[in-house]
Amino acid sequence: MVDIQKVAVIGCGFVGSTIAYTLMLRGIFSEMVLIDADKKKAEGEAMDISHGLPFAHAMDIYAGNYEDIRDAAIIVITAGANQKPGETRLDLVQKNAKIMKSVVARICQAECEGILLVVSNPVDILTHVALAESGFSQKRVIGSGTVLDTARLKYLLSGCLQVDSRNVHAFVIGEHGDSELAVWSTANVFGIDLEEFFLLRGCSNYEKEREQIYQDVRDSAYAIIERKGATYYGIGIAVARIAECIVRDSHTVLPISVLLKGEYGLDGVCLSIPTVVGQNGAEQILDIALSQEEYNKLISSAAELKKILVQIE
């Protein structure tokens, strides 16, 4: 029996521990178990985060084993090698695919019935690996996808246009990586077409500004890693948002990584696509209209990922 108030985080590195800390602050769970190959590391993180509970929400946080995740509603998987300076997300694939297979095997042994939320990079490839290894339904295995990339896009657009980022409606799809694409054809600010809003704000060079913003979004991780060695705060908040949508059963549309079975003319590949997210996980993949240019880029993004899948399979 799944406990909707229980979450597990597998992998207690920078990303995993930041996700755990953010989940504690959000107060959407009453129980959280941390698992890491280094048990002492998991214990230390559980202790450290727990010491903030008097200022937050009542919650049981502890280091545990795979047996402890049996009734968890969400299992967040961050285990894997870190992305190094100059290394692309796809460079990580071989070593992290092996780690993912090992983790999923342990999850299956625990007879867990919860939703697998893959965060480890390259997230689209590893979501596919987790789905194939687990044998779970495609609704139950999702990746964090381009939820963070989408937040970065909204943030940079809001800065350029000097408008509240919550009024910006735009998203990134495809690979969470170098071949991702921004869907400009539907982008708007409070219902006002993005190009028109640029003009209203006195920005005449729409195409140039748009391209620069896209490049900055795409290369954000590289820029951060070059400066501080790793990225973890942004993804921590993004994963907490996905988890919240599942727990609250909010039916929120998010660009998570999901397995495509005919949508957009694609099959057998996990990509970030606008998806209705609720208590059952990926409730509905939205096959939305794209411009021809955007569609071509999505097909190219899928082709890049399929090349990698062939190599690891």
Side-chain angles (χ1 to χ4, degrees):
M1 186 72 173
V2 168
D3 180 359
I4 195 63
Q5 289 291 304
K6 182 174 180 178
V7 63
V9 179
I10 300 177
C12 294
F14 281 124
V15 172
S17 57
T18 303
I19 289 171
Y21 175 67
T22 308
L23 290 174
M24 181 274 283
L25 292 177
R26 284 292 181 95
I28 55 177
F29 295 100
S30 61
E31 183 178 354
M32 176 162 59
V33 55
L34 306 183
I35 298 174
D36 195 89
D38 183 348
K39 185 68 178 291
K40 287 187 176 181
K41 177 73 164 67
E43 291 172 347
E45 294 295 353
M47 292 168 64
D48 196 7
I49 296 171
S50 295
H51 294 166
L53 287 174
F55 308 113
H57 308 269
M59 188 178 185
D60 185 16
I61 305 171
Y62 59 95
N65 301 307
Y66 280 88
E67 291 76 11
D68 297 310
I69 72 172
R70 181 169 305 196
D71 58 343
I74 304 173
I75 300 89
V76 180
I77 306 175
T78 73
N82 293 325
Q83 187 176 358
K84 298 177 181 178
E87 185 177 45
T88 69
R89 294 181 181 94
L90 293 181
D91 289 334
L92 292 172
V93 66
Q94 296 291 354
K95 47 188 173 183
N96 280 353
K98 185 176 181 180
I99 294 171
M100 181 60 67
K101 290 178 180 179
S102 174
V103 167
V104 171
R106 299 287 298 277
I107 291 172
C108 291
Q109 287 173 3
E111 298 181 350
C112 175
E113 297 180 2
I115 293 168
L116 305 190
L117 175 48
V118 178
V119 183
S120 309
N121 275 321
V123 67
D124 305 291
I125 296 293
L126 296 183
T127 300
H128 190 281
V129 171
L131 182 61
E133 291 295 312
S134 67
F136 295 169
S137 76
Q138 65 184 98
K139 290 185 176 183
R140 283 181 59 198
V141 182
I142 61 177
S144 54
T146 53
V147 173
L148 174 56
D149 309 76
T150 293
R152 288 167 172 163
L153 177 62
K154 292 181 178 183
Y155 168 75
L156 291 176
L157 281 170
S158 72
C160 177
L161 296 169
Q162 291 297 288
V163 66
D164 190 338
S165 60
R166 291 170 296 184
N167 288 150
V168 178
H169 304 289
F171 53 91
V172 175
I173 62 174
E175 175 207 357
H176 170 56
D178 298 339
S179 68
E180 67 186 26
L181 61 134
V183 181
W184 299 116
S185 60
T186 59
N188 67 87
V189 178
F190 200 63
I192 303 168
D193 178 76
L194 187 62
E195 184 171 8
E196 181 181 350
F197 199 87
F198 261 81
L199 294 174
L200 289 172
R201 298 296 280 169
C203 304
S204 57
N205 204 335
Y206 171 66
E207 295 290 343
K208 183 179 179 181
E209 293 282 358
R210 192 181 78 172
E211 180 59 26
Q212 185 60 56
I213 287 172
Y214 163 72
Q215 291 180 15
D216 289 344
V217 169
R218 182 195 62 196
D219 299 337
S220 286
Y222 299 132
I224 295 169
I225 290 169
E226 181 184 359
R227 288 163 173 79
K228 57 176 278 188
T231 71
Y232 36 91
Y233 294 125
I235 189 60
I237 297 172
V239 170
R241 174 59 175 153
I242 299 170
E244 188 174 41
C245 293
I246 294 171
V247 173
R248 307 281 191 221
D249 198 23
S250 61
H251 311 294
T252 301
V253 178
L254 294 172
I256 58 171
S257 186
V258 289
L259 178 68
L260 300 182
K261 289 187 174 180
E263 297 89 355
Y264 302 91
L266 295 169
D267 187 65
V269 63
C270 289
L271 282 175
S272 296
I273 294 295
T275 303
V276 179
V277 179
Q279 204 166 97
N280 296 317
E283 296 186 341
Q284 182 183 1
I285 299 170
L286 303 178
D287 198 338
I288 63 172
L290 302 173
S291 71
Q292 189 60 52
E293 180 183 5
E294 290 163 353
Y295 177 74
N296 291 341
K297 288 181 178 179
L298 181 63
I299 298 302
S300 296
S301 185
E304 290 299 314
L305 291 175
K306 281 192 172 184
K307 290 178 185 177
I308 305 298
L309 284 173
V310 169
Q311 292 175 16
I312 66 172
E313 288 175 349

